[in-house]
């Protein structure tokens, strides 16, 4: 089960500048990937896969060293975003062919990106700070402890210029009831009321003829009362 923890963050002025710079570079890579995907599809009739995108980003970094300011996992996440945008676009095309009235929503170029996502690595939460690769240690308000294994971290700037850090955490689902004892199967029968898979037998609580006669007598009395 996945759970999200969101904390208010307070980066320093220099950290804000570095974050905004990286968001700008992220936007550049996103738009370049989108452009390359369109070009690739026109030339080959095939989609530009996420694997192709990551290879292309590696070449881009060699030609343009400024993109090395971005952590590698952040770049992979950008490729993942572009790939998902195209997957959703082609899914909508299929749905429209099957009669569903929806807008196709062709993937658009972005004018800005306001968050950086770190899947798997590139960050390390501490008590009141979180270390982010190529940024440093950022203060955040740790108002609640996280439970589970941290999968991803994202840092975002809102329109009101506030900063937030979000952790995606995965927890193992706890069974509703468990006494840590071996399970036992039950077989109901006529001779024995129940026989457990561990060999335990529960005798059949047979009703004696005397008890049956008594029940019949009570039923007759009730029947006579209803008639009268």
């Amino acid at each position: 089960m996945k759970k999200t923890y969101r904390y208010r963050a307070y980066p320093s002025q220099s950290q804000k500048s570095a974050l905004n710079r990286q968001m700008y570079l992220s936007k550049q890579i996103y738009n370049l990937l989108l452009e390359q995907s369109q070009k690739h599809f026109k030339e080959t009739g095939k989609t530009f896969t996420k694997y192709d995108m990551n290879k292309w980003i590696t070449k881009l970094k060699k030609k343009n060293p400024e993109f090395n300011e971005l952590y590698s996992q952040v770049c992979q996440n950008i490729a993942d975003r572009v790939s998902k945008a195209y997957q959703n676009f082609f899914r909508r095309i299929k749905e429209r062919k099957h009669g569903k009235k929806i807008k196709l929503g062709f993937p658009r170029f972005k004018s800005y990106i306001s968050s950086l996502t770190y899947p798997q690595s590139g960050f390390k939460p501490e008590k009141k700070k979180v270390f982010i690769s190529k940024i440093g240690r950022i203060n955040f308000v740790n108002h609640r402890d996280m439970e589970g294994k941290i999968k991803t971290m994202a840092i975002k700037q809102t329109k009101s210029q506030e900063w937030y850090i979000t952790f995606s955490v995965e927890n193992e689902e706890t069974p509703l009831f468990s006494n840590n004892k071996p399970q036992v199967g039950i077989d109901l029968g006529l001779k024995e009321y129940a026989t457990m898979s561990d060999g335990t037998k529960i005798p059949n609580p047979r009703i004696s003829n005397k008890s049956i006669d008594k029940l019949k007598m009570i039923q007759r009395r009730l029947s006579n009362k209803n008639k009268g």
Side-chain angles (χ1 to χ4, degrees):
M1 182 178 69
K2 287 186 178 180
K3 195 172 183 179
T4 300
Y5 293 85
R6 188 169 181 251
Y7 304 94
R8 179 74 184 274
Y10 293 91
S12 65
Q13 201 59 45
S14 61
Q15 288 172 339
K16 287 179 183 178
S17 298
L19 287 166
N20 284 321
R21 166 72 176 166
Q22 290 194 19
M23 288 174 184
Y24 168 77
L25 292 172
S26 296
K27 180 202 74 171
Q28 295 290 93
I29 289 183
Y30 185 98
N31 290 337
L32 287 169
L33 279 176
L34 198 59
E35 183 181 4
Q36 188 64 25
S37 297
Q38 292 174 358
K39 183 181 177 182
H40 183 80
F41 186 78
K42 286 178 181 178
E43 291 176 353
T44 66
K46 297 178 181 179
T47 57
F48 203 48
T49 66
K50 191 162 60 173
Y51 174 77
D52 295 329
M53 291 180 188
N54 285 319
K55 279 181 66 178
W56 189 85
I57 289 173
T58 302
K59 292 178 182 178
L60 178 70
K61 284 184 172 183
K62 288 179 180 179
K63 292 181 180 178
N64 303 274
E66 66 267 24
F67 288 110
N68 287 310
E69 294 177 36
L70 287 169
Y71 185 66
S72 59
Q73 289 284 323
V74 172
C75 292
Q76 288 182 26
N77 177 258
I78 297 167
D80 189 47
R81 291 190 202 183
V82 177
S83 178
K84 283 180 179 176
Y86 267 98
Q87 286 174 17
N88 290 333
F89 171 67
F90 288 119
R91 174 182 54 79
R92 288 190 292 269
I93 289 176
K94 287 182 180 179
E95 289 177 352
R96 195 167 178 177
K97 284 181 179 178
H98 286 86
K100 195 171 183 180
K101 295 181 179 179
I102 54 171
K103 292 182 179 180
L104 292 180
F106 191 81
R108 295 181 179 180
F109 292 98
K110 290 188 178 292
S111 57
Y112 68 94
I113 281 180
S114 60
S115 65
L116 300 170
T117 301
Y118 297 76
Q120 301 175 3
S121 62
F123 63 93
K124 185 179 180 182
E126 299 168 1
K127 193 171 183 180
K128 293 183 179 180
K129 295 177 184 286
V130 58
F131 170 78
I132 301 177
S133 180
K134 299 181 182 286
I135 299 294
R137 284 177 170 79
I138 294 179
N139 293 318
F140 74 99
V141 181
N142 190 355
H143 61 276
R144 61 185 299 199
D145 293 333
M146 289 181 283
E147 296 179 358
K149 187 177 181 181
I150 300 172
K151 290 293 186 180
T152 63
M153 187 217 74
I155 183 163
K156 181 175 182 176
Q157 184 183 33
T158 64
K159 290 181 179 179
S160 58
Q161 307 302 308
E162 293 177 343
W163 292 86
Y164 288 91
I165 290 175
T166 303
F167 295 97
S168 179
V169 176
E170 196 169 78
N171 285 316
E172 290 186 5
E173 290 191 21
T174 306
L176 295 176
F177 175 78
S178 176
N179 57 9
N180 295 322
K181 293 182 180 180
Q183 295 181 349
V184 177
I186 301 175
D187 181 27
L188 300 178
L190 295 174
K191 187 176 180 182
E192 303 292 345
Y193 180 70
T195 303
M196 308 296 186
S197 58
D198 61 358
T200 305
K201 293 184 178 181
I202 300 174
N204 194 334
R206 299 181 184 279
I207 301 174
S208 65
N209 291 333
K210 195 173 182 180
S211 298
I212 293 172
D213 291 340
K214 191 174 181 180
L215 284 171
K216 286 181 179 179
M217 183 181 69
I218 293 170
Q219 286 176 343
R220 282 197 299 269
R221 286 178 180 176
L222 289 172
S223 179
N224 291 332
K225 282 184 179 180
N226 290 333
K227 288 178 181 179

